[in-house]
Amino acid sequence: MSSINDPDESRSGDVRAAAREKARQLRTSQQRKDRRNKTLLTGGILIGVVAIAAIVAVVIMGAIRPTVPGPKNMASDGVVVGSGLTVKATPALAADAKPVASTPDPNGSAVDIRIYADYLCKLCGEFQRTNLKQLQPLVKDGAVTVEMHPVAIYTSHSAGTRYSLRAANAAACVANYAPKSFWAFNEALFANQPAEGGPGLTDDELKKRAEASGASPSDIDSCIDDGRFKTWVGAASDRALSGPIPNSSVKKMTNALLVLVNGKPYTGSLTNADDFKAFILQAQGDEYSSTSTPTPSPSAGS
């Protein structure tokens, strides 16, 4: 039998103590690792939840565009310019209200011309620069009315500046606050027109053109700066692209330019003023023929 001071028993006790200490250290290390993993997992979940919430918020905000009233003098989604280059006054439509189509002259004495155009569209610019000068005296005299519909179809074609949308918003600002300047401002946007694919005019340049057209900066500048009618421009453009086009057999816009004369689409040359003038005269003659009442023939024996 071993004594209490047996060296073999003492060594055996030391080994067991060392094993217990090693086991304790392993447990402690594992516990620390478990706590660290739990912390990282919880933090990762929280970060993921926050990221998902942010993405959802962005999607929701992007999908739900704030509704705003439309500009004054554009109840039809267009600006009607008539005798004396006077803009037909209309109230601002309430948010989400449907546009009210303008009514052509029932007597057919004034030719009804409607122009849907994007301010960045090259073909739109060619048509406007070719024809606005010859249209101006006809509008002044009351022989024709011109209804301008600014649309933003080429918004993604301006190196990320969304020029089409900004230019159409600026036109709506002028129609709302300075209607007497609208004809000149519309013409100014097509003169020295920015190239498709380029950044277009800056907001400051738009404001300068509005001022040069006779609009007061105090009325226009903040409207352009805060994009007051951008949401409305987007909605009006969507309506033109989805149709129907009022007072016309044309169902919807299929490109960035649509010109209607008494409801009939013009498909002739965009750079020949004589072609368009001939189309106007033909439409005027057709309208006169359809609205005139023939004189009864005298009956036999009268």
Side-chain angles (χ1 to χ4, degrees):
M1 183 167 70
S2 301
S3 69
I4 195 168
N5 294 321
D6 189 333
D8 292 337
E9 185 176 344
S10 178
R11 284 195 298 270
S12 178
D14 292 341
V15 169
R16 287 195 296 271
R20 285 196 298 270
E21 177 60 22
K22 183 64 175 178
R24 187 190 66 79
Q25 291 175 356
L26 289 172
R27 285 196 303 272
T28 302
S29 177
Q30 186 62 44
Q31 289 170 353
R32 289 174 180 170
K33 185 182 295 185
D34 290 343
R35 285 196 296 269
R36 183 170 64 251
N37 290 343
K38 184 178 179 180
T39 300
L40 290 174
L41 179 61
T42 303
I45 292 173
L46 289 175
I47 292 172
V49 170
V50 171
I52 292 171
I55 292 170
V56 170
V58 169
V59 170
I60 291 174
M61 291 301 293
I64 304 176
R65 294 186 297 184
T67 55
V68 295
K72 291 187 294 185
N73 310 315
M74 296 189 77
S76 65
D77 282 350
V79 179
V80 180
V81 186
S83 180
L85 295 181
T86 302
V87 169
K88 179 182 178 181
T90 61
L93 292 179
D96 291 335
K98 293 182 179 180
V100 180
S102 58
T103 304
D105 182 359
N107 298 320
S109 57
V111 177
D112 172 49
I113 299 175
R114 279 175 288 156
I115 304 171
Y116 293 74
D118 186 306
Y119 287 113
L120 189 61
C121 159
K122 179 182 178 182
L123 296 179
C124 303
E126 289 177 351
F127 174 82
Q128 299 256 3
R129 289 189 295 273
T130 299
N131 293 289
L132 284 182
K133 290 296 183 184
Q134 74 169 351
L135 284 176
Q136 183 167 320
L138 298 175
V139 177
K140 278 186 175 181
D141 293 343
V144 305
T145 60
V146 174
E147 184 172 345
M148 302 286 193
H149 288 256
V151 293
I153 296 174
Y154 283 4
T155 296
S156 61
H157 296 188
S158 53
T161 71
R162 301 172 67 81
Y163 175 67
S164 291
L165 182 62
R166 292 188 295 106
N169 171 74
C173 291
V174 172
N176 186 88
Y177 294 106
K180 292 181 180 179
S181 301
F182 183 84
W183 181 276
F185 181 65
N186 176 78
E187 188 174 9
L189 289 186
F190 286 113
N192 300 316
Q193 183 188 23
E196 289 182 17
L201 303 176
T202 65
D203 284 351
D204 285 342
E205 289 171 328
L206 287 170
K207 288 185 284 188
K208 287 178 181 178
R209 292 202 185 189
E211 184 176 3
S213 301
S216 170
S218 61
D219 293 328
I220 302 299
D221 286 6
S222 62
C223 183
I224 291 177
D225 285 336
D226 61 25
R228 192 162 304 164
F229 298 115
K230 282 183 178 179
T231 299
W232 173 84
V233 168
S237 300
D238 289 344
R239 285 190 285 268
L241 289 169
S242 60
I245 302 297
N247 304 316
S248 172
S249 59
V250 177
K251 293 183 178 180
K252 60 184 179 181
M253 286 190 75
T254 56
N255 53 50
L257 175 66
L258 174 63
V259 180
L260 300 169
V261 179
N262 284 351
K264 297 179 180 178
Y266 175 65
T267 58
S269 171
L270 301 180
T271 57
N272 189 320
D274 289 339
D275 280 5
F276 187 59
K277 185 175 182 179
F279 190 77
I280 293 174
L281 293 174
Q282 180 183 348
Q284 189 175 35
D286 292 344
E287 185 68 24
Y288 177 79
S289 298
S290 65
T291 57
S292 60
T293 303
T295 303
S297 301
S299 59
S302 61

